[in-house]
Amino acid sequence: MGCAWYFSLPAQPTPEIVGAVLILSLLILWFSRRHILLFFGAVLLLAVCCGMAISAFHLWADGGPTLKRTLYSAALSGRVIAIEPQARRTRIILAPIMIEGMEPENHPRKVRISMPGTPDFGAGDVITVSGRLFPLRPPAVPGDPDFARRLYLDGIGATGFVFGRNYQVTQIATSGFLHGWSDRISDVRHTIMAEVNRAMAPDHASVASALIVGERGDISPKIAEDLRKSGLAHLLAISGLHMGLLCGTVFFFVRLVLAAIPPLALRYPIKKWAACAAMIAGAFYLVLSGGTVPTQRAYVMTGIVLFAVLVDRRAISLRLVALAALVVLIVRPDAILGPSFQLSFAAVVVLVAFYNGIGRRWFTGAADLGPGGRLSRYFLALLITSLLVTAATAPIIVFHFGRISLLGIFANLAAIPLMAFWVMPVMVLAMIAMPFGLASVPLQVMEPGLEALLYLADRVAAQSWGLWYLSRPDGVAIGAMVLAVTWLIIWQNNRMRVLSMIPACIAIVLGVLHNQPDMLVSGDQKGWSVWMREDQKIIVPKGISDFHHSLWLARYGIDPDHPDRATIHCDSDICRLGSGGKTILIANILTDPFYACRHADIVVNLKADMPVNACAGDRMIIDDDVLWHQGGVAIYDMATTKPWYRTVRQDAGDWPWVIIGGR
């Protein structure tokens, strides 16, 4: 809660404020030590303050200078940190050495650029390019995803692209012992991807690369969309399923081989040896896959389970989940605001609570069943697992993506056994065989399994009735709902469980009162949309970007795959609209602003300022001055006598990654 609250503040607190709050919470803890309830509350307060302090430390340690204005044509020289394939382009992260027109002390720590095709340089090389650099882009309108925050905390202070393939390698990376570990890992990842691409068809190779090294840039848009619609997209995010299957496969095979050697099996703890081998394999997989939030969480939990094997203890519990969450948040506190962290932990918390409670009683005694009974029990457990995960993650998925797949419950019944008994074990064999140049055979055996998985995703995604689109709920309401469920699960005391009704009631009230904006105007001064509540349609201008169009459709719960059914296009240079009893006039540049003020209640002048005192009365004016200095705008309550608007600057706050109007 401290991490989430810190990044939700309207501005970055000073270190003095964070330190003072932390010291105050410690004093409260000390003076309340003789009163158990007060002490418990003080412990909770201290935990929140520690989350804020950790977030403040990461912001200080990971942040750096950012680009404040666009460099339309600049020479850039830097060392290659990472290379990420992205369909027909390649994304490159550089540590800049020289940026034309900038002093070295103002250089961002890292710059992310893209170029067409596949480059012939590697990590560690120093290159010189000519291209265009942009500041970190804020959300287009209030409520849109904030990608700039994650980039900033990754150390990236500018993005851009290279003009064509205009680059020059000025220095080759140092080889041998001095070659950086990150560069070595990047080289290994690209070697594995090249081997996979040689052994498989392109579509299958892209999915295999996502499973092995966590690189999803080559996956075609159709495959990615099919996996999302079918509820199988989690199979591409290396998480608990993959880490558990990989470590479990290594554990099983190592123990099987050692058990086949009687002198070892009878004299030594081969089960513990197998657990050590599985922990090493999991650590290698964590590093190789890029160390995303789900992978970090999965490895921490799997590592603790395997450590419990070493010390002869049982480890699956909610304390294990809590420990994994603490480790992830200490490493990356802003992860709490991302869908990856939220979905991952929501699913795990519910599953651990169920299988440590009523689920354990239901599935006790499976060893006494025959093969048919065990198989039916396995698929029953899969069905219950899918139902629980779908129920737990549905509000979060709707908030972030605006849709939920009901058929995903049944698609996972076929996909998870396919992954568990075919794809992942063969993938382990391929990784073992790869250093010896023998990976082509297991990769070819793995390919039909991936083909079956993609066919399943395609068939399920084709059933449009199984995919529901819902308008975005209130974020605070979702947070209160998650808090209520978490409180209910953690406590065993029924009196304490009753307190979960407080956040539950807050969630219900906020959900009922939540109001979607009636109009959106993008901060890039190009896109806008008007929500027609009565017709359940939106009006957009000609030339609106596909990204913003689909994002705003999903926001209102409209199927973005069929935008024409719910979209009205305004092809005129000046659009005169009516919504909520208000007349709206929108133009790039109004030639007669005084006329517009007399004939419209809301005037939007995208690329020019309105004259001072041009509009009398209660007219709402959105012009270049507002959009340039405050960012995009969301207008609410147009059907009332006093509509109001909120800007990106107000919504995102004053943070180092929020660059609007060069500030």
Side-chain angles (χ1 to χ4, degrees):
M1 288 179 66
C3 294
W5 187 28
Y6 181 86
F7 288 108
S8 301
L9 291 173
Q12 178 184 0
T14 63
E16 292 79 9
I17 293 177
V18 175
V21 172
L22 190 60
I23 292 172
L24 180 62
S25 65
L26 286 170
L27 291 174
I28 294 173
L29 187 71
W30 172 257
F31 287 114
S32 63
R33 67 190 186 279
R34 300 183 184 279
H35 305 279
I36 186 62
L37 290 180
L38 291 177
F39 184 79
F40 176 67
V43 169
L44 295 182
L45 176 62
L46 179 62
V48 171
C49 294
C50 287
M52 295 182 65
I54 290 170
S55 302
F57 172 78
H58 273 271
L59 197 62
W60 169 78
D62 298 335
T66 58
L67 188 67
K68 303 298 189 298
R69 59 183 180 86
T70 301
L71 300 179
Y72 290 96
S73 180
L76 166 67
S77 176
R79 187 177 70 86
V80 178
I81 296 176
I83 301 174
E84 306 169 0
Q86 298 284 325
R88 291 183 294 273
R89 300 185 67 85
T90 301
R91 183 182 289 168
I92 302 159
I93 298 178
L94 297 176
I97 298 172
M98 181 276 298
I99 300 178
E100 185 180 8
M102 288 187 68
E103 297 296 329
E105 61 270 16
N106 295 328
H107 287 176
R109 289 173 51 197
K110 299 176 187 176
V111 172
R112 194 183 73 183
I113 57 176
S114 67
M115 66 171 56
T118 302
D120 56 2
F121 51 79
D125 294 347
V126 176
I127 64 170
T128 299
V129 300
S130 178
R132 184 168 297 172
L133 293 180
F134 302 99
L136 299 180
R137 301 194 179 190
V141 295
D144 275 7
D146 189 356
F147 302 113
R149 178 181 59 241
R150 181 172 182 82
L151 290 174
Y152 182 82
L153 289 169
D154 282 336
I156 297 173
T159 61
F161 61 86
V162 178
F163 296 138
R165 291 178 57 82
N166 184 15
Y167 68 88
Q168 180 182 1
V169 180
T170 57
Q171 182 180 330
I172 303 297
T174 305
S175 59
F177 180 76
L178 296 177
H179 192 44
W181 278 105
S182 61
D183 298 342
R184 291 185 183 184
I185 293 169
S186 180
D187 292 342
V188 170
R189 289 173 55 134
H190 284 89
T191 301
I192 292 174
M193 291 175 63
E195 182 69 25
V196 170
N197 289 331
R198 281 194 296 268
M200 292 183 174
D203 284 347
H204 304 148
S206 63
V207 177
S209 295
L211 294 175
I212 298 174
V213 298
E215 186 54 68
R216 291 177 279 180
D218 284 339
I219 295 177
S220 68
K222 183 184 184 308
I223 290 177
E225 190 67 13
D226 286 346
L227 290 168
R228 282 192 290 265
K229 288 182 178 179
S230 60
L232 300 178
H234 66 95
L235 298 179
L236 294 185
I238 299 176
S239 58
L241 174 66
H242 307 75
M243 187 66 71
L245 291 176
L246 180 131
C247 292
T249 300
V250 172
F251 179 86
F252 172 79
F253 279 115
V254 171
R255 193 178 181 192
L256 180 66
V257 171
L258 294 177
I261 307 173
L264 291 178
L266 296 175
R267 291 182 176 87
Y268 299 99
I270 61 171
K271 182 179 180 181
K272 296 182 180 181
W273 290 7
C276 290
M279 290 177 71
I280 294 171
F284 176 74
Y285 193 35
L286 172 67
V287 173
L288 193 66
S289 62
T292 60
V293 170
T295 317
Q296 294 172 18
R297 186 266 310 162
Y299 180 69
V300 170
M301 297 185 70
T302 306
I304 293 174
V305 171
L306 293 171
F307 180 77
V309 173
L310 297 179
V311 296
D312 301 314
R313 292 290 185 270
R314 181 183 180 89
I316 301 295
S317 68
L318 286 175
R319 290 185 177 86
L320 168 63
V321 183
L323 180 60
L326 285 173
V327 171
V328 171
L329 290 177
I330 289 172
V331 173
R332 191 63 191 259
D334 65 304
I336 187 83
L337 300 180
S340 177
F341 181 96
Q342 296 170 7
L343 294 173
S344 181
F345 278 95
V348 171
V349 165
V350 170
L351 291 180
V352 170
F354 175 77
Y355 284 107
N356 270 348
I358 190 172
R360 180 184 294 179
R361 297 193 295 271
W362 285 6
F363 293 100
T364 299
D368 301 329
L369 300 174
R374 291 186 184 183
L375 187 63
S376 61
R377 182 72 64 90
Y378 171 74
F379 279 102
L380 176 61
L382 274 185
L383 178 61
I384 293 175
T385 296
S386 293
L387 288 169
L388 288 173
V389 170
T390 301
T393 58
I396 301 171
I397 292 174
V398 171
F399 176 77
H400 287 287
F401 307 110
R403 62 187 177 188
I404 185 170
S405 173
L406 300 180
L407 290 178
I409 298 172
F410 305 100
N412 280 283
L413 292 179
I416 291 179
L418 189 65
M419 290 285 294
F421 299 115
W422 188 342
V423 174
M424 292 301 291
V426 178
M427 189 190 85
V428 173
L429 294 177
M431 293 173 69
I432 294 172
M434 201 165 287
F436 306 100
L438 303 174
S440 60
V441 173
L443 287 174
Q444 289 171 8
V445 175
M446 180 182 173
E447 189 168 16
L450 296 177
E451 185 176 3
L453 182 69
L454 296 181
Y455 177 79
L456 172 66
D458 178 66
R459 292 294 86 204
V460 174
Q463 313 304 316
S464 57
W465 57 270
L467 195 64
W468 288 9
Y469 292 89
L470 302 169
S471 62
R472 175 183 293 174
D474 182 79
V476 180
I478 297 298
M481 185 186 302
V482 170
L483 178 61
V485 174
T486 306
W487 188 274
L488 189 66
I489 287 175
I490 289 175
W491 288 101
Q492 303 301 314
N493 186 310
N494 288 330
R495 289 189 201 172
M496 295 300 292
R497 282 182 167 179
V498 171
L499 294 178
S500 66
M501 294 299 296
I502 297 174
C505 292
I506 293 173
I508 293 172
V509 171
L510 291 177
V512 172
L513 297 178
H514 179 58
N515 188 19
Q516 289 285 5
D518 295 296
M519 184 173 176
L520 302 172
V521 183
S522 173
D524 62 8
Q525 300 171 279
K526 297 177 182 177
W528 54 265
S529 71
V530 177
W531 172 234
M532 311 293 289
R533 293 181 182 272
E534 301 80 7
D535 302 325
Q536 294 293 296
K537 293 184 178 182
I538 66 171
I539 305 175
V540 297
K542 61 179 179 179
I544 187 174
S545 71
D546 293 336
F547 173 74
H548 286 135
H549 192 189
S550 61
L551 190 67
W552 294 344
L553 284 171
R555 183 170 185 159
Y556 291 113
I558 300 172
D559 181 0
D561 293 329
H562 304 284
D564 294 337
R565 299 178 185 175
T567 302
I568 301 172
H569 289 274
C570 178
D571 297 330
S572 175
D573 292 332
I574 299 178
C575 296
R576 184 184 176 91
L577 314 170
S579 178
K582 299 289 189 299
T583 301
I584 309 165
L585 203 64
I586 309 171
N588 284 330
I589 298 177
L590 287 171
T591 56
D592 189 350
F594 296 95
Y595 174 85
C597 288
R598 289 195 301 269
H599 294 84
D601 301 297
I602 298 174
V603 179
V604 180
N605 200 7
L606 293 171
K607 298 182 179 180
D609 291 342
M610 292 289 287
V612 179
N613 299 325
C615 296
D618 296 329
R619 303 290 194 273
M620 179 180 288
I621 308 299
I622 307 295
D623 62 0
D624 172 79
D625 188 56
V626 173
L627 298 174
W628 176 252
H629 293 292
Q630 298 296 321
V633 171
I635 303 175
Y636 296 83
D637 297 334
M638 289 204 323
T640 65
T641 56
K642 290 187 177 181
W644 57 280
Y645 68 82
R646 187 169 179 82
T647 66
V648 169
R649 175 68 76 186
Q650 294 170 321
D651 196 63
D654 293 324
W655 293 88
W657 57 83
V658 183
I659 312 296
I660 300 175
R663 297 181 296 165

